[in-house]
Amino acid sequence: GGGYDLCDKCCQHLAVSKTVARGPPSQEKKVSTHSTPLRPFDNGSKTWYCDKTCSPCDRRTNQRSDGTYLGTRWSDRWAGGGYDLCEKCCQHLSVTAPKCSKGHTMKVSNTNSGYGDYGWRCDGCRSNTGMEGRDERWVCETCGHDTCFTCHPKTASQDTGSFMMNFTSNISSAGLRVRQRRSLSSPQVGTIKPSGGPIRCTRVEDGWAKISPSEYESRIRGSYNFQEHDSSSEGWCIVKNQGSTFLQR
């Protein structure tokens, strides 16, 4: 009783395999960008796209000429959703959620419910705070415990050997410019503000601090003058210039 028609070529192009491969619950991964856990998923689609496209995204580079992805597609479609990540993005964004002092598993949230006009304070370091709903952090919905991303990074990026650097009083509330490379003439790719607390870095070279990839999603993406960049090798802040120190360990 319908009225929808396709030619043979279009039908072949849009056809979805009747065999849908779904991963078991034991293979679930929690990512910082989505509330529902993801599982391996394959319905034969050659046109699906990665919903995050992080710097390591390989959806378009790890495929056959017909669009068949050669990695593992991670999705919440097993739960009726429509969120997909390529294997590299899922690995980059996967997290192990912390537990609050009472043993409850926490989740990423920017809720301001019950915090009034005074905002929230990290129950770990007691220094990082946020007002209303503007700042994400780990939240226990059962007991209201808050943990900032400095105490427990939002992403599971490779931070082995990383360290924290503090802003000095020479930095205004507008923040410090993040450069693509170690040069004042290098393009600005973002801004990082002192209001978010100390920043996690991986190394200091030639008077420049390399911002940890774990800070990319939580503090750099969407900031003033933000530009997409490779967070594994790009994203530097100057430590000292013309006698003024901006960051210190």
Side-chain angles (χ1 to χ4, degrees):
Y4 187 80
D5 302 287
L6 289 177
C7 69
D8 185 60
K9 293 294 185 181
C10 286
C11 188
Q12 290 180 22
H13 176 69
L14 298 172
V16 176
S17 172
K18 293 181 180 179
T19 301
V20 178
R22 298 182 175 89
S26 61
Q27 290 185 287
E28 282 184 358
K29 284 190 178 182
K30 180 72 175 68
V31 294
S32 60
T33 53
H34 198 61
S35 58
T36 305
L38 308 183
R39 297 180 188 177
F41 181 86
D42 183 13
N43 63 353
S45 173
K46 300 176 182 179
T47 58
W48 69 273
Y49 60 90
C50 182
D51 282 293
K52 195 58 184 176
T53 58
C54 302
S55 52
C57 182
D58 71 345
R59 173 62 184 96
R60 298 303 177 193
T61 59
N62 187 27
Q63 65 176 10
R64 296 195 181 99
S65 58
D66 65 354
T68 301
Y69 182 56
L70 300 178
T72 300
R73 174 186 177 185
W74 292 84
S75 179
D76 69 345
R77 295 177 189 272
W78 64 271
Y83 189 84
D84 301 288
L85 288 180
C86 69
E87 186 170 352
K88 293 292 187 180
C89 285
C90 186
Q91 180 181 6
H92 178 69
L93 297 168
S94 63
V95 296
T96 300
K99 294 183 182 295
C100 73
S101 58
K102 296 182 180 179
H104 305 132
T105 300
M106 306 174 77
K107 74 173 189 177
V108 174
S109 176
N110 65 349
T111 180
N112 64 338
S113 176
Y115 292 89
D117 297 329
Y118 298 98
W120 61 273
R121 181 183 295 275
C122 176
D123 291 293
C125 64
R126 304 297 297 176
S127 60
N128 287 348
T129 61
M131 289 301 295
E132 299 178 349
R134 292 195 292 269
D135 295 308
E136 287 188 333
R137 73 279 187 194
W138 293 101
V139 174
C140 174
E141 295 183 326
T142 303
C143 64
H145 187 103
D146 297 290
T147 297
C148 68
F149 294 143
T150 298
C151 290
H152 191 98
K154 182 179 179 181
T155 62
S157 302
Q158 297 301 316
D159 277 338
T160 303
S162 66
F163 51 88
M164 306 305 297
M165 296 198 76
N166 297 293
F167 290 93
T168 70
S169 57
N170 293 320
I171 296 297
S172 70
S173 59
L176 191 60
R177 294 177 181 177
V178 180
R179 302 284 184 178
Q180 186 175 19
R181 292 177 292 277
R182 303 189 306 271
S183 172
L184 290 174
S185 60
S186 180
Q188 182 178 353
V189 292
T191 305
I192 195 159
K193 295 186 177 183
S195 59
I199 57 175
R200 187 174 295 274
C201 302
T202 56
R203 61 187 184 276
V204 174
E205 295 180 8
D206 303 324
W208 290 80
K210 174 65 185 70
I211 307 302
S212 167
S214 65
E215 301 279 25
Y216 186 80
E217 295 293 332
S218 60
R219 299 184 64 179
I220 299 178
R221 178 179 288 279
S223 64
Y224 180 69
N225 277 346
F226 171 76
Q227 298 292 328
E228 292 283 354
H229 59 282
D230 183 354
S231 62
S232 64
S233 61
E234 300 171 340
W236 298 77
C237 284
I238 193 166
V239 174
K240 187 176 182 179
N241 187 41
Q242 297 182 347
S244 297
T245 299
F246 306 114
L247 294 171
Q248 60 186 12
R249 296 183 68 170

